[in-house]
Amino acid sequence: MDTGTHLVIGLGLAGLAYIDPVVAADPVVATAVLIGTVAGSQAPDADTLLRLKNNAVYIKNQSRISHSLPALFLWTAAISGALWLFFDGLPMLHVTMWVFIAVAFHVFTDLFNTYGTQALRPFSERWVSWNIIHIFDPFIFLAHVVAIFLWSMRLVDPAVAFPLLYGLIAVYYAWRSWHHHRLESTLYRQDPEYAPGDKYTLIPTVHLYHWQVVKQKNDTTFSLGEYRNGRIKWVDHVKCDCHPAVEASKAHPNIASFLYFTSFACADVKEHGWGYEVRWADVRYRHRKQYPFVAVLRMDKSFETLDSYVGWVNDTRLEKKLRVDMN
């Protein structure tokens, strides 16, 4: 989920904590739990600071160790320990429980979006990405905002409002999961261009009933489309280049980081007087007829690196970030 949604979830969990009699009975404990749930709901995304080093390091490590099983306990211990230092006489068992719930809920919700996490580390390095909930879901965000507003205005009892809120959200997640599975498993029946071996991935958008579709074929091509009103509309077809420059590019750390993150990468090669430009694009993220999430490597004729870039960018900005003259 996005940072704003994680924030309101942290506040929402602080409201939910009022079902705990120990929290509800003491304003100091409730304040500590509020700080803990807000911090816990943000902590796994601390890997965003890796952007300060470079995009490649951030992309390779995003949602990996910071969202792993050991990290759940490390974040909980760090936040709970800080609260123990600043507040006297806290019932640490209760405070720690709510901090852990906030951290774990962050990782759990991230499993449902397109980016995914490596939440099964250290037992598995597999990316878990269920493509069910958009990174920003208006229903989840607004439901929290309404509940928090009513709580802040003392119009509702948090011990009543927030259990109802999270019960509703649980139903919403269950419905979205069922709906996504039903649609994705039957897409091939609605595709007049279906061929045996085609693999379909349904990707959520901010619109409840609008989805993006990625079809991966056996011939190194992708078809990109939209699913609306029970119909698939194909909007683009991408063929991945096979070229020695493509294979050579995979050894570069930036490209390796990009390929580690996604299984929907497609390479395009352009030859120039000075050498080759290999542009890898993640075809899941088509926007305004472009693929802005890319890893680009420019090499000379001997496949030696001239310059590279990885991250989110449009064509105009990319030229400013790469030093090699295209002419």
Side-chain angles (χ1 to χ4, degrees), residues 10-207:
L11 295 171
L13 291 174
L16 181 65
Y18 277 80
I19 64 174
D20 184 342
V22 174
V23 176
D26 190 334
V28 174
V29 176
T31 299
V33 168
L34 172 63
I35 295 171
T37 55
V38 170
S41 70
Q42 298 292 331
D45 282 345
D47 54 12
T48 302
L49 295 174
L50 293 172
R51 287 183 185 271
L52 298 176
K53 188 170 184 179
N54 61 60
N55 279 345
V57 173
Y58 169 67
I59 288 171
K60 184 174 181 179
N61 292 281
Q62 177 190 15
S63 301
R64 289 179 61 207
I65 297 174
S66 67
H67 288 62
S68 66
L69 291 173
L72 298 181
F73 300 98
L74 293 175
W75 290 125
T76 300
I79 296 167
S80 300
L83 293 171
W84 179 75
L85 290 174
F86 284 96
F87 290 87
D88 292 328
L90 285 179
M92 291 308 300
L93 180 62
H94 293 262
V95 173
T96 301
M97 177 186 70
W98 286 105
V99 172
F100 178 79
I101 289 172
V103 175
F105 197 68
H106 174 120
V107 175
F108 175 74
T109 56
D110 278 358
L111 297 175
F112 286 82
N113 64 37
T114 304
Y115 293 101
T117 74
Q118 288 187 333
L120 299 178
R121 275 178 170 265
F123 303 108
S124 172
E125 294 188 9
R126 182 172 65 89
W127 284 94
V128 183
S129 174
W130 293 331
N131 299 312
I132 292 170
I133 304 290
H134 192 264
I135 190 170
F136 174 76
D137 186 290
F139 173 77
I140 295 172
F141 182 81
L142 292 175
H144 276 85
V145 168
V146 170
I148 293 166
F149 173 77
L150 294 175
W151 175 31
S152 67
M153 298 300 293
R154 300 180 183 275
L155 297 175
V156 297
D157 182 351
V160 174
F162 288 94
L164 290 175
L165 170 66
Y166 284 102
L168 180 62
I169 287 177
V171 171
Y172 178 71
Y173 268 79
W175 172 74
R176 286 284 284 181
S177 299
W178 170 81
H179 186 57
H180 177 272
H181 173 73
R182 183 178 65 86
L183 292 180
E184 189 174 67
S185 62
T186 59
L187 280 176
Y188 72 97
R189 298 177 187 171
Q190 303 175 54
D191 180 12
E193 303 175 13
Y194 169 73
D198 289 352
K199 298 179 181 178
Y200 296 84
T201 301
L202 198 62
I203 297 175
T205 70
V206 293
H207 301 286

Side-chain angles (χ1 to χ4, degrees), residues 238-272:
V238 179
K239 181 173 178 56
C240 307
D241 286 343
C242 295
H243 190 280
V246 172
E247 294 305 313
S249 73
K250 295 178 181 179
H252 191 276
N254 284 1
I255 304 301
S257 295
F258 185 81
L259 297 179
Y260 183 79
F261 175 76
T262 177
S263 57
F264 294 87
C266 191
D268 176 68
V269 179
K270 293 181 180 178
E271 188 169 356
H272 304 276

Side-chain angles (χ1 to χ4, degrees), residues 253-317:
N254 284 1
I255 304 301
S257 295
F258 185 81
L259 297 179
Y260 183 79
F261 175 76
T262 177
S263 57
F264 294 87
C266 191
D268 176 68
V269 179
K270 293 181 180 178
E271 188 169 356
H272 304 276
W274 43 261
Y276 305 96
E277 177 184 281
V278 180
R279 180 181 302 199
W280 290 89
D282 190 327
V283 298
R284 291 176 296 177
Y285 304 115
R286 186 177 187 273
H287 180 66
R288 295 180 178 177
K289 300 181 180 181
Q290 294 188 29
Y291 298 91
F293 186 35
V294 298
V296 181
L297 182 64
R298 290 180 176 174
M299 302 175 287
D300 63 21
K301 294 290 186 179
S302 299
F303 302 138
E304 295 296 325
T305 298
L306 299 174
D307 203 359
S308 67
Y309 173 80
V310 60
W312 295 86
V313 71
N314 58 37
D315 289 343
T316 302
R317 291 178 56 200

Side-chain angles (χ1 to χ4, degrees), residues 185-247:
S185 62
T186 59
L187 280 176
Y188 72 97
R189 298 177 187 171
Q190 303 175 54
D191 180 12
E193 303 175 13
Y194 169 73
D198 289 352
K199 298 179 181 178
Y200 296 84
T201 301
L202 198 62
I203 297 175
T205 70
V206 293
H207 301 286
L208 195 59
Y209 295 104
H210 295 176
W211 304 79
Q212 293 179 340
V213 182
V214 178
K215 180 171 69 171
Q216 188 170 5
K217 302 180 72 65
N218 290 329
D219 61 355
T220 70
T221 64
F222 290 91
S223 295
L224 296 310
E226 301 171 350
Y227 183 85
R228 301 186 183 189
N229 303 317
R231 298 181 61 186
I232 300 174
K233 177 184 178 183
W234 297 114
V235 297
D236 199 7
H237 297 274
V238 179
K239 181 173 178 56
C240 307
D241 286 343
C242 295
H243 190 280
V246 172
E247 294 305 313

